Amino acid sequence: MTKTTFDLVVVGGGPGGYVAAIRAAQLGMSVALVERAELGGICLNWGCIPTKALLHSATVLRACREAAHYGVAGAGEARPDLAAMVARSRKVAGRLGQGVAHLMKKNGVTVFAASAKLAGGGRLALDNGSTLSAKHIILATGARARELPALPLGERVWAYRQALVPAEIPKSLLVVGAGAIGAEFASFYRAVGAEVTLIDMTAEILPQEDAEISALARKAFEKQGIRVLTQCAVTSSSLTATGVKVTLDRQGKRSELEVDRVIVAAGIVGNVENLGLEQTRVKVERTHIVTDGLCRTAEPGVYAIGDVAGAPWLAHKASHEAVLCVEAIAGKPAHPIDPLRIPACTYSYPQVASIGMSEARAREHAAKTGGDIRVGKFTFAGNGKAIAMGEDQGLVKTVFDAKSGELLGAHIIHPEASELITGYGVAASLEATEEDLMHTVFAHPTLSETLHESVLSAFGRALHA
């Protein structure tokens, strides 16, 4: 007979939900995980992981085309095999999905393939007719792509799922939304040969990033042949014989654009429907569940983590929330997440990564507190390893409190930015000052030396600038 009473039930098996289940099991709780689709959630199956697999294929393709520059003959005629790229991407996702299933079994987590709805009194009603009971319930139901009325999804208008499994490379493509998801798809499709137009309603692409970094990203995208239109929106669309015709509004000026396909990457909405929240004290604002610093909702015994609990919508934020939420439930010391210590990465070409405040935000903060800031910059053109790799374009930018030496923000644009940003993440978590960072010995030759040089630059001590 299947067990139906647990210490904890987690609803949703993404990077928040399955990590919560594992940590709870490690702490000796009896745990159930309810997942209506695939273990690993959107991130593993239709987001973070398969997109990175496709983007790596694009990196290999780019390297082959540029092989002669590195003294390698015969690779310059490389061309994309889209079917093989997609098949590899799906295989990578499948392998990791099996890995999550193994972790659930290894940790003694009971998995229910179903949808769940709060039924009051610590109970969950599953759509298979079962009822589960638990003292604690964590909602980790994630989010989905925001749909735009002017661009109804279909065979030629894609969200991320369709964009990950194309049958062929479109000759022309419009990407609506120039945040991380849009920038990544624009990079991939341009690399494999599509004529790409990338638009956003804001004044710059990657609007959540430091303005200087966003401007450099735009310049890099345009150099690759991506057409970038900012302060631009789609007001209507219609299907043609072979593609999609859209009407664009750019600061009051209207124009028409016809493309083979459109990708909508205009943000996400939380999966809060059909959870039974209406009969609880749980509050929902702008499709996201309201929680406190320990992931508790206003309903006793009900918690929410990850994308459904609001920004930043990042897998590693969800996993970290999972651990702190479960540890708080278990009575362990737990500390709320500081959003300024959560790194963000965009895996476009080049990559963009950041942590903490932008320069503009830091200046606003300093103005309010009567303080001042110091800004350091170092380009990869001054780094030996970057030059040796042939990847000497990019910038590391650091922002410090001028008086205390606190690292307020760090921003990187470079093909390896996502790997480099963790150095500053560790520094921020340890509350390292500029003095600590300047006294740290960085190995040579490495790209990480740029992190050191940017700190030195902020205090007038750069050695290779």
Side-chain angles (χ1 to χ4, degrees):
M1 184 174 180
T2 304
K3 179 180 174 70
T4 59
T5 300
F6 301 87
D7 297 321
L8 172 69
V9 175
V10 183
V11 182
Y18 84 74
V19 168
I22 291 172
R23 185 64 186 126
Q26 289 175 343
L27 291 172
M29 298 184 199
S30 58
V31 187
L33 175 69
V34 183
E35 171 54 57
R36 67 184 181 185
E38 302 141 311
L39 288 174
I42 295 298
C43 175
L44 190 155
N45 294 283
W46 296 101
C48 315
I49 299 303
T51 56
K52 303 315 165 281
L54 289 179
L55 286 163
H56 186 70
S57 292
T59 297
V60 173
L61 177 63
R62 193 179 295 110
C64 289
R65 288 171 171 169
E66 298 172 358
H69 175 71
Y70 299 93
V72 178
E77 299 301 318
R79 62 185 185 278
D81 182 339
L82 185 65
M85 288 180 175
V86 170
R88 178 180 179 274
S89 173
R90 300 317 308 157
K91 184 178 180 180
V92 168
R95 174 180 171 180
L96 288 171
Q98 292 173 0
V100 174
H102 169 72
L103 289 172
M104 295 299 95
K105 184 177 181 179
K106 175 183 176 182
N107 286 279
V109 176
T110 303
V111 177
F112 292 88
S115 294
K117 179 181 290 188
L118 294 170
R123 293 177 298 121
L124 279 166
L126 307 189
D127 62 355
N128 62 10
S130 302
T131 299
L132 305 182
S133 298
K135 184 177 180 180
H136 305 283
I137 297 170
I138 296 178
L139 303 177
T141 52
R144 62 187 183 276
R146 183 184 300 277
E147 296 186 26
L148 300 178
L151 285 165
L153 299 180
E155 182 181 348
R156 301 175 197 168
V157 179
W158 299 339
Y160 54 83
R161 283 178 180 261
Q162 295 88 349
L164 282 167
V165 289
E168 59 185 9
I169 301 168
K171 292 182 179 179
S172 56
L173 174 71
L174 172 65
V175 181
V176 181
I181 296 173
E184 290 176 5
F185 277 124
S187 284
F188 171 73
Y189 277 98
R190 181 60 193 138
V192 296
E195 293 296 327
V196 178
T197 299
L198 176 65
I199 72 170
D200 200 274
M201 294 180 64
T202 64
E204 194 49 88
I205 66 170
L206 300 177
Q208 300 302 317
E209 299 295 340
D210 180 89
E212 183 174 10
I213 299 296
S214 294
L216 290 172
R218 178 173 186 161
K219 184 177 180 180
F221 285 8
E222 290 176 336
K223 186 177 180 180
Q224 295 166 49
I226 297 173
R227 182 189 182 201
V228 179
L229 302 176
T230 49
Q231 295 180 295
C232 182
V234 176
T235 59
S236 64
S237 67
S238 60
L239 298 181
T240 66
T242 58
V244 185
K245 180 184 289 186
V246 299
T247 301
L248 303 177
D249 186 326
R250 194 179 187 196
Q251 295 181 285
K253 296 182 180 180
R254 297 205 168 193
S255 62
E256 289 189 340
L257 175 67
E258 188 168 343
V259 293
D260 291 341
R261 298 292 183 269
V262 177
I263 295 177
V264 179
I268 62 174
V269 294
N271 292 323
V272 295
E273 301 86 359
N274 303 314
L275 292 176
L277 301 180
E278 302 80 5
Q279 308 304 317
T280 71
R281 301 177 190 173
V282 175
K283 296 180 181 179
V284 176
E285 293 181 358
R286 297 181 180 180
T287 78
H288 294 94
I289 295 173
V290 177
T291 61
D292 66 9
L294 297 179
C295 307
R296 297 173 294 201
T297 72
E299 178 74 14
V302 178
Y303 312 79
I305 61 174
D307 286 358
V308 76
W313 299 288
L314 301 166
H316 44 282
K317 173 257 195 183
S319 296
H320 196 87
E321 280 185 331
V323 173
L324 78 86
C325 179
V326 168
E327 291 185 348
I329 289 171
K332 303 286 185 181
H335 305 282
I337 290 179
D338 181 352
L340 294 177
R341 293 181 180 173
I342 301 175
C345 301
T346 300
Y347 297 83
S348 53
Y349 182 78
Q351 296 178 8
V352 172
S354 63
I355 190 168
M357 300 183 190
S358 66
E359 179 182 352
R361 184 177 173 187
R363 290 196 184 281
E364 291 174 3
H365 177 74
K368 292 177 182 178
T369 59
D372 200 0
I373 65 171
R374 299 186 71 112
V375 178
K377 302 177 187 179
F378 191 79
T379 68
F380 284 87
N383 177 262
K385 178 68 178 294
I387 294 171
M389 292 171 60
E391 296 285 6
D392 62 349
Q393 299 300 300
L395 177 71
V396 178
K397 180 176 182 178
T398 44
V399 184
F400 291 87
D401 181 278
K403 184 177 181 180
S404 69
E406 178 187 359
L407 177 63
L408 300 176
H411 311 272
I412 308 173
I413 179 168
H414 186 265
E416 298 295 334
S418 63
E419 296 294 338
L420 292 169
I421 196 64
T422 298
Y424 288 130
V426 172
S429 294
L430 296 176
E431 298 182 349
T433 65
E434 91 293 357
E435 185 175 357
D436 297 320
L437 289 166
M438 285 193 286
H439 289 169
T440 299
V441 179
F442 288 75
H444 174 80
T446 63
L447 296 175
S448 64
E449 290 175 278
T450 60
L451 309 186
H452 191 217
E453 290 277 8
S454 183
V455 176
L456 293 173
S457 170
F459 293 86
R461 295 174 52 178
L463 299 172
H464 295 91

